[in-house]
């Protein structure tokens, strides 16, 4: 009897946690059915297996929900970067403030989702746009650099080579 009471208490904790986080304890088992099922389980081994399965399902649901939420945030951040890459003042601090998240958190989840840093991602956007401008206009390097949000020509050259694998002058000669 004590074992069954403790197992119901554990189930309560799992259910309350899921309710607080607005997730499911199992996609095919209603809360009422979970209580009924635990009452019909005859031995401790099966009770432990039942509770373990519910807890694991809850953990997976929570992780999945967080991942979806993080992916939505990352998509919004990427759109922000595309929309504002010409702003030379754009940085991690500004982006994190715009989305009301901690810089460290944003940096970590961006790296997890995109497999690159936010700064490198922004640099890639800027250089991709610079390549378009270099190909389709007669602008000088420093003008292109400024237009894509990198006012320092030396830093632009460094970024250009890092992203494209060749120097800007070599790129222009290849055209």
């Amino acid at each position: 009897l004590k074992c069954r009471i403790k197992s119901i208490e554990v189930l309560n904790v799992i259910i309350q946690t899921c309710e607080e986080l607005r997730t499911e304890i199992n996609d095919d088992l209603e809360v009422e059915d979970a209580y009924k099922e635990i009452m019909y389980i005859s031995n401790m081994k099966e009770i432990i297996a039942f509770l373990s399965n519910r807890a694991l399902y809850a953990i997976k649901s929570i992780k999945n929900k967080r991942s979806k939420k993080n992916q939505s945030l990352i998509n919004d951040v990427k759109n922000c970067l595309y929309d504002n890459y010409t702003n030379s003042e754009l940085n991690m601090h500004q982006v994190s403030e715009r989305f009301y998240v901690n810089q460290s958190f944003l940096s970590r989840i961006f790296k997890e989702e995109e497999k690159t840093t936010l700064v490198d991602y922004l640099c890639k956007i800027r250089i991709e746009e610079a390549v378009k401008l270099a190909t389709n206009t007669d602008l000088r390097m420093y003008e292109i650099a400024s237009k894509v949000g990198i006012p320092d020509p030396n830093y632009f050259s460094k970024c250009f080579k890092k992203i494209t694998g060749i120097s800007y002058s070599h790129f222009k000669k290849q055209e």
Side-chain angles (χ1 to χ4, degrees):
L1 184 61
K2 285 183 181 179
C3 175
R4 197 164 305 281
I5 292 171
K6 286 293 180 192
S7 62
I8 290 172
E9 288 174 2
V10 170
L11 183 59
N12 279 338
V13 169
I14 294 169
I15 291 169
Q16 286 173 349
T17 302
C18 289
E19 286 174 353
E20 287 172 12
L21 298 172
R22 295 184 181 95
T23 190
E24 305 291 324
I25 64 161
N26 193 330
D27 56 0
D28 63 349
L29 185 68
E30 295 294 321
V31 171
E32 297 82 25
D33 294 336
Y35 287 114
K36 288 177 188 173
E37 189 169 333
I38 208 164
M39 294 307 290
Y40 291 110
I41 296 174
S42 59
N43 65 51
M44 187 64 174
K45 193 173 185 177
E46 289 178 12
I47 289 174
I48 291 170
F50 176 83
L51 292 173
S52 295
N53 287 337
R54 296 308 160 262
L56 288 173
Y57 187 89
I59 290 167
K60 286 179 185 175
S61 295
I62 292 164
K63 283 184 176 180
N64 188 31
K65 189 173 185 175
R66 283 185 181 161
S67 179
K68 286 178 183 176
K69 186 177 177 184
N70 289 347
Q71 187 58 52
S72 176
L73 172 62
I74 296 306
N75 287 338
D76 291 345
V77 167
K78 287 167 46 179
N79 287 334
C80 172
L81 296 177
Y82 276 106
D83 292 344
N84 298 287
Y85 73 89
T86 58
N87 176 359
S88 63
E89 301 295 316
L90 187 62
N91 60 31
M92 175 70 77
H93 178 74
Q94 281 186 337
V95 174
S96 64
E97 279 191 346
R98 177 175 286 185
F99 292 98
Y100 306 103
V101 294
N102 178 283
Q103 286 184 55
S104 298
F105 172 75
L106 179 58
S107 177
R108 182 178 51 80
I109 66 165
F110 195 93
K111 177 87 175 187
E112 285 173 6
E113 295 288 332
E114 296 301 316
K115 310 301 183 234
T116 187
T117 66
L118 186 142
V119 172
D120 285 347
Y121 191 87
L122 177 58
C123 186
K124 182 176 179 255
I125 292 169
R126 287 173 166 162
I127 298 305
E128 286 172 353
E129 294 301 317
V131 166
K132 291 176 190 173
L133 288 171
T135 304
N136 299 319
T137 69
D138 293 327
L139 295 172
R140 295 178 166 251
M141 183 189 77
Y142 70 90
E143 294 170 312
I144 290 173
S146 183
K147 283 190 176 291
V148 298
I150 306 175
D152 179 358
N154 292 324
Y155 182 64
F156 174 82
S157 293
K158 180 181 171 188
C159 290
F160 194 93
K161 183 157 185 157
K162 179 180 178 183
I163 300 298
T164 65
I166 58 173
S167 69
Y168 181 82
S169 58
H170 188 76
F171 174 80
K172 285 301 279 183
K173 287 178 188 174
Q174 287 182 341
E175 278 196 303

